[in-house]
Amino acid sequence: MKILCFGAGGFIGSHLSQRLLADGHSVIGLDTHADKVQDIIGHARLTFFEKDIRADEVDLDRLIQEAEVVVDLIAHANPGAYVGRPLDVFRLNFMENLRIAEACVRHGRRLIQFSSCEVYGKTPVASLRGVLPDPDNPAYATFAEETSDFILGPLNKHRWIYACAKQLLERVLHAYGLEGKLNFTIIRPFNFIGPKIDYLPSEAPGIPRVFSFFMEALLQGRPLPLVDGGRHRRCYCYIADAIDCVSRIVANPRGACDGQVFNVGAPANETSIRDLATLMGRIYVEQFAPPGAPLPGTEDVPAGRFYGRGYEDSDRRIPDISKARSLLGWEPKTGLREMLEITMAYYVNGRRSKR
Ligand code: NAD
Ligand code: UGA
């Protein structure tokens, strides 16, 4: 197939483009950055435009008309941006993505839209603040595509503008689907980790995701920063497992993905951020640090100091992946330790990207 991939130069986009080429597809990629796709630039079935989706010279209609399937990954994807530049997040993550979706409607193209597990927001445990008798019950934090509510924080916690923009986009796609005007599939990733994730904080402005902060602290021999003590929990999914699922969604066996929303994540890999720091520290000492190096320490940092005003955390999120299992036969395979070992080796060995 001929697949148009917006955001092809990003963390997920670069891995996905590589996989789509390996699967025999032709890929037309567009991204403002090309450094993460240097290994595939020059491939006979890849056309890559290093361009801003907002630039006048980008002829969205023509690009979409020429493709069979459109994959949209473009977004500001880091919490630092949601807090520091909320209007940019709305404009890019909603307005620009809406333009892409409406062009798909105009030209009758299938759209695979990357949304986020952030749409689920907080758990009832966080929003009811201490009322529930068994707050650790994972049932409160296990989110299913068709039944879970979306619980976001108040207006003055503008972190939620990202979740809100993603959610509104999902609702618009769903509404076009109801009117029979768009064949879409929505993907909600749950915290992917792997080589090429983000950039190290000292290498570019902005606030990347937690792996990059911990990796840089380890490389520089500084304590790992734990926002609000690292008490919140995430389920990490290895990028290759995630891409395997996305490739099945692209293949769309018997139309199984038409009009569907998929959680993509690894429920077995739940960890608190504090335990993630401890595990990365152990792996670093065992495999990468000079012999006899001490275990790295941690440092508690208040969220307001780390991110600025308007941050509120998603407390816990476990994906219910029964739909991906039953419709796609997909199962994540990689454990947390293994994915960290691979991703840390990538950085320690100096193949890190400059962004
Ligand atoms: P990423 O930041 O690496 O990728 C986004 C890409 O979009 C970047 O390469 C960026 O250069 C590009 N982009 C931004 N603005 C652009 C513009 N104006 N014109 C052209 N390109 C532009 O992030 P990612 O982790 O690869 O995420 C991809 C998608 O998946 C995003 O929509 C994100 O919200 C979603 N997502 C990712 C995760 C995850 O675990 N990585 C989790 C939830 C949701
Ligand atoms: C991010 C983005 O919001 C989404 O793009 C995406 O849905 C999600 O990643 C994802 O990858 O699935 P989040 O999990 O909050 O969400 O991203 P991180 O910045 O990696 O934060 C994870 C946790 O670590 C948070 O509790 C944060 O406060 C904490 N943290 C972050 C630290 O303790 N120390 C740090 O140095 C950085």
Side-chain angles (χ1 to χ4, degrees), residues 10-12 31-32 52-53 73 75 92 115 162 166 189 192 209:
F11 165 47
I12 301 176
D31 201 298
T32 42
D52 192 313
I53 184 76
L73 297 124
L92 185 72
S115 181
Y162 170 85
K166 291 271 188 189
F192 301 167
R209 283 165 278 198

Side-chain angles (χ1 to χ4, degrees), residues 77 82 116 118 159 162 191 210 213 225 227 234 311 313 317:
Y82 325 157
S116 173
E118 289 256 328
R159 179 225 172 90
Y162 170 85
N191 290 78
V210 65
F213 275 98
V227 173
R234 297 290 188 268
Y311 180 76
D313 214 340
R317 49 196 193 209

